[in-house]
Amino acid sequence: MTNTQTVDSKRVLLAAPRGYCAGVDRAVVTVEKALDLYGPPVYVRKEIVHNKHVVTTLEKRGAIFVDETDEVPEGATVIFSAHGVAPVVHEEAKALNLKTIDATCPLVTKVHREAKRFAADDFDILLIGHEGHEEVVGTSGEAPEHIVLVQSPDHVEQVQVRDPDKVVWLSQTTLSVDETMETVRRLREKFPKLQDPPSDDICYATQNRQLAVKQMAPETDLMIVVGSRNSSNSVRLVEVAIEHGAKAGHLVDYADEIDESWLQGVTTVGVTSGASVPEVLVRDVLEYLAERGYQDVRPIVAAEESLLFALPNELRRDLKARNGSDADQVRHDAGSLH
């Protein structure tokens, strides 16, 4: 094979959908609009979403990220991240007379409501998720006396409940679909009367991005997932790629983190991004690859997404009071993070 033929055979499989989901878009725009409306600084409890570029960009605009509520000055404005918070956090904010804007993803809020509902009916709730993840901490805080954390299929044998006839499972929204279903299968073997949540807890965006990767992986020599290492859904995409046939997979925040040695002998590169990743970072990866001969980009479309979430009520109210504009739609004024 000649050098020309080798270059011509190089290609990129580009996942669709990828990048921002509706909940992330809503959360990021919430911080941007709050900075415009109230002026800096605006405080954000935890990272608004798990992406290094997003956080750094918002910091430059005047957002201040804190780990705990008591780091916010009394009377200031604080935004709660897309991952959700426990009720005790709302109580802490009230005690400090903070103006709160809750940017929790509505799909996470749904899981919170399910936890409260089943706790009220005195169920034991088996919450499938990763210990310490902000979403798990928030959901657990809704019903701490009823929730048992199940971290993996191998953890099932250690699970104990009060009444095996009154048990239900819920999950973190950003998990591997396959691993979660395996965990549920083992839980059901142990607790035959295990109830399911009213609807899927793993969010549509997580499922769609994993589905695209599953379709791409068997043809892929190298899968590059754009995303941060503390992003659960991004980390899962690398794992799903390897599990479904990709010969190699790596997670990068930026194109300049790609090691050229990864491309040795590689004909097909798969590219996707986690649900908290702005598209500009994917474009940078595609440019990096094009400069190295991977100019044939073929989309792999697993699903179409059109969901939009309204901005938080507190912010919409203040926006309307200022200028009377319709603040229902999230995607206003596309900027560097969109």
Side-chain angles (χ1 to χ4, degrees):
M1 181 177 288
T2 67
N3 288 339
T4 301
Q5 287 173 318
T6 302
V7 170
D8 289 345
S9 68
K10 291 181 177 180
R11 63 176 181 162
V12 174
L13 302 182
L14 180 61
R18 62 183 178 276
Y20 273 11
C21 62
V24 164
D25 202 25
R26 174 182 186 261
V28 173
V29 174
T30 293
V31 179
E32 293 173 337
K33 293 290 184 184
L35 286 165
D36 291 341
L37 185 61
Y38 310 121
V42 168
Y43 291 83
V44 183
R45 187 182 182 277
K46 306 294 186 182
E47 292 187 354
I48 187 66
V49 296
H50 286 156
N51 183 263
K52 184 188 298 185
H53 178 77
V54 170
V55 170
T56 300
T57 303
L58 292 173
E59 282 178 331
K60 290 176 181 176
R61 290 194 53 184
I64 297 177
F65 293 88
V66 299
D67 286 327
E68 300 299 339
T69 315
D70 61 11
E71 297 175 53
V72 182
E74 187 168 355
T77 297
V78 64
I79 298 172
F80 297 142
S81 81
H83 307 102
V85 297
V88 66
V89 175
H90 288 278
E91 295 168 9
E92 292 168 354
K94 187 175 181 180
L96 289 169
N97 194 33
L98 302 179
K99 176 181 177 62
T100 61
I101 299 173
D102 191 351
T104 300
C105 173
L107 300 180
V108 174
T109 299
K110 177 185 79 73
V111 181
H112 284 212
R113 289 176 181 149
E114 291 169 353
K116 288 188 285 187
R117 169 192 154 191
F118 284 108
D121 291 337
D122 202 31
F123 275 71
D124 278 346
I125 301 164
L126 306 182
L127 178 60
I128 303 171
H130 299 130
E131 185 174 13
H133 189 280
E134 288 149 39
E135 185 184 325
V136 167
V137 172
T139 301
S140 298
E142 296 287 359
E145 296 179 358
H146 291 264
I147 286 180
V148 177
L149 183 62
V150 185
Q151 296 195 66
S152 70
D154 293 338
H155 186 213
V156 168
E157 62 184 33
Q158 304 169 30
V159 175
Q160 301 294 324
V161 300
R162 295 171 301 157
D163 182 355
D165 291 339
K166 293 195 70 174
V167 61
V168 63
W169 71 273
L170 303 177
S171 82
Q172 183 180 329
T173 64
T174 56
L175 300 179
S176 160
V177 176
D178 294 340
E179 183 174 313
T180 300
M181 290 302 98
E182 175 60 16
T183 302
V184 172
R185 186 189 68 78
R186 294 194 193 183
L187 285 171
R188 186 159 279 117
E189 285 182 349
K190 186 169 185 176
F191 307 112
K193 293 190 177 180
L194 177 72
Q195 291 195 26
D196 297 324
S199 59
D200 284 348
D201 284 348
I202 297 180
C203 88
Y204 76 97
T206 297
Q207 295 189 51
N208 288 345
R209 281 148 190 73
Q210 290 180 18
L211 181 60
V213 165
K214 288 177 184 179
Q215 292 180 10
M216 296 159 58
E219 300 181 53
T220 301
D221 301 313
L222 167 69
M223 184 74 71
I224 295 176
V225 178
V226 186
S228 293
R229 284 158 182 77
N230 64 338
S231 167
S232 175
N233 77 88
S234 298
V235 172
R236 299 289 85 71
L237 289 175
V238 178
E239 295 174 351
V240 168
I242 299 297
E243 288 166 2
H244 287 81
K247 295 181 177 65
H250 295 281
L251 183 68
V252 299
D253 268 296
Y254 300 101
D256 62 10
E257 294 178 6
I258 298 173
D259 188 329
E260 284 208 52
S261 67
W262 299 345
L263 299 174
Q264 290 179 5
V266 167
T267 298
T268 301
V269 180
V271 175
T272 189
S273 58
S276 51
V277 177
E279 183 65 9
V280 62
L281 301 183
V282 176
R283 291 199 298 268
D284 289 345
V285 168
L286 295 177
E287 289 177 10
Y288 176 98
L289 293 172
E291 290 169 357
R292 288 154 181 82
Y294 298 87
Q295 297 178 351
D296 177 12
V297 179
R298 305 180 188 181
I300 303 297
V301 181
E304 300 287 343
E305 294 179 353
S306 58
L307 184 63
L308 289 175
F309 291 134
L311 292 168
N313 289 335
E314 311 94 325
L315 185 59
R316 292 170 60 202
R317 182 183 62 242
D318 289 352
L319 284 168
K320 191 168 185 178
R322 183 183 72 172
N323 55 26
S325 65
D326 179 3
D328 282 346
Q329 293 297 309
V330 167
R331 288 189 174 95
H332 298 295
D333 308 328
S336 61
L337 292 174
H338 298 275

